[in-house]
Amino acid sequence: MSIPDQSTQIQLVARPEGWPTHENFRTVVVDLPDLGPDEVRVVNDYVSVDPYMRGRMNDVKSYIAPFALDATMDGGAVGHVVASTSDTVPVGAVVSHNQGWRDVAQGPAARFRVVEEAPGLPRSALLGILGMTGLTAYVGLGEIARLSMGDTVFVSGAAGAVGTAVGQIARRKGAARVIGSAGSAEKVALLTERYGFDAAINYKDGPIREQLAEVVGEDGVDVYFDNVGGDHLEAALDVMNRFGRVAVCGAIAGYNDTDRTPGPDNLMNIVSRSLTLRGFTLGDHFSAQPAFEADMRRWVAEGRIVHDETVVEGIDHAVDAFLSMLEGGNTGKMVVKTS
Ligand SMILES: NC(=O)c1ccc[n+]([C@@H]2O[C@H](COP(=O)([O-])OP(=O)(O)OC[C@H]3O[C@@H](n4cnc5c(N)ncnc54)[C@H](OP(=O)(O)O)[C@@H]3O)[C@@H](O)[C@H]2O)c1
């Protein structure tokens, strides 16, 4: 097969106010230069679209720099090397890297990590259950929430990439009861029937605060894994047990807000119940990767953790995939298949 010498790439051209639209982006085709010393050219098989990318579209100081305007965006991707001047990253190697939002990537070999594929799994799993979202779930439950045997766990955004991993890891690590919330009847059914949750709530059926209190009952919640923020965090704070722990992973309910969201009205519960709320970003926790990979590869191989993904075909549809993910169009990891 011939080696591509062009790359189709997605650029941010205007910062979204509220919900992004196609007008915020453009597609360009770039001629690739010849490889320099110790460089590789990679055909991306899958690129990742993730909620945190919405934050990078704003021009604000954060833990990661905003996307530049009129430049190709970056993000997680997995692909295979088609040309190389590197001794360590040869042609044919499967690599994960951060040059997403394009179908062909190129650069110094040191920016591409050679990865081992998992038998029987699509390469896209390296972006999801075996990749960053799986690791986020693992770190959030372990290092951040300090999950213990017998805990009751509540996970919001439970049918997404991180959420499906959280529910199942909690079970593997000895949680007594796992409760999840998601935004459709189909997703709620999957939580109990496929991912092993004990109970699931459709937050669109009524106020999450009332629904969660009813499902939790007298037992309370020891660990809340927060993917959603807003009303879900408020609902969880109502039902936390003494010395409960909250892993604050994300707050997707507010990512497209144009006004400031009011805070929870029950923050005093943090004091009266001796709660710990701890936020984290994965970049500070890559030291957990070897333990995560050993556990997760084993669990997946043994069929003790299942995973799903929603695949959108073609780099030209990457923006569609991103917008759909923000609206809940995915179950498990949303990925774009680019080769
Ligand atoms: N801290 C970190 O290092 C880190 C790393 C990765 C991800 N995260 C965070 O983890 C969370 C999940 O990320 P992910 O990659 O796994 O995405 P995901 O859950 O696969 O996809 C996003 C999901 O959010 C849900 N959602 C959208 N708007 C919502 C709303 N207003 N209320 C409740 N749910 C809403 C949708 O599901 P429904 O159909 O159920 O609404 C959608 O499918 C995000 O908050 C993300 O920012 C943090």
Side-chain angles (χ1 to χ4, degrees), residues 38 47 99 143 153 197 215 250-251 256 261 273 285:
D38 208 18
V47 304
Q99 282 191 43
E143 291 179 23
V153 177
F197 286 67
V215 167
N256 292 302
T261 316
R273 300 182 193 182
H285 298 275

Side-chain angles (χ1 to χ4, degrees), residues 22-230:
H22 281 272
E23 280 62 53
N24 298 116
F25 307 92
R26 77 167 155 237
T27 303
V28 296
V29 178
V30 174
D31 290 329
L32 295 168
D34 290 340
L35 290 184
D38 208 18
E39 285 194 341
V40 295
R41 184 172 299 172
V42 170
V43 169
N44 283 338
D45 297 305
Y46 295 92
V47 304
S48 184
V49 288
D50 298 274
Y52 80 91
M53 292 168 171
R54 176 62 190 87
R56 293 191 70 191
M57 291 169 190
N58 299 332
D59 188 15
V60 293
K61 191 171 176 213
S62 186
Y63 68 98
I64 187 167
F67 289 126
L69 287 182
D70 299 314
T72 302
M73 295 182 289
D74 55 22
V78 61
H80 57 282
V81 179
V82 292
S84 172
T85 55
S86 157
D87 294 336
T88 51
V89 187
V91 169
V94 175
V95 289
S96 80
H97 60 95
N98 204 40
Q99 282 191 43
W101 292 99
R102 72 200 77 188
D103 60 354
V104 184
Q106 179 164 320
R111 295 191 193 152
F112 296 80
R113 186 167 77 96
V114 177
V115 286
E116 190 191 333
E117 293 190 78
L121 290 193
R123 232 165 243 179
S124 47
L126 297 164
L127 297 174
I129 195 72
L130 299 177
M132 290 306 121
T133 50
L135 181 57
T136 300
Y138 189 88
V139 164
L141 275 178
E143 291 179 23
I144 306 301
R146 292 176 289 106
L147 176 77
S148 296
M149 297 277 284
D151 279 346
T152 292
V153 177
F154 170 51
V155 190
S156 56
V162 173
T164 50
V166 169
Q168 295 180 88
I169 295 171
R171 181 91 316 137
R172 297 283 76 76
K173 295 271 190 187
R177 192 167 184 229
V178 183
I179 301 164
S181 64
S184 74
E186 293 77 15
K187 289 184 179 184
V188 164
L190 278 176
L191 290 182
T192 53
E193 290 163 14
R194 178 161 167 76
Y195 302 114
F197 286 67
D198 299 289
I201 298 165
N202 180 352
Y203 69 86
K204 292 181 180 163
D205 278 351
I208 183 69
R209 197 168 202 169
E210 291 168 19
Q211 292 197 75
L212 181 65
E214 193 175 324
V215 167
V216 166
E218 292 302 306
D219 290 342
V221 165
D222 303 297
V223 166
Y224 171 45
F225 195 108
D226 191 11
N227 287 316
V228 168

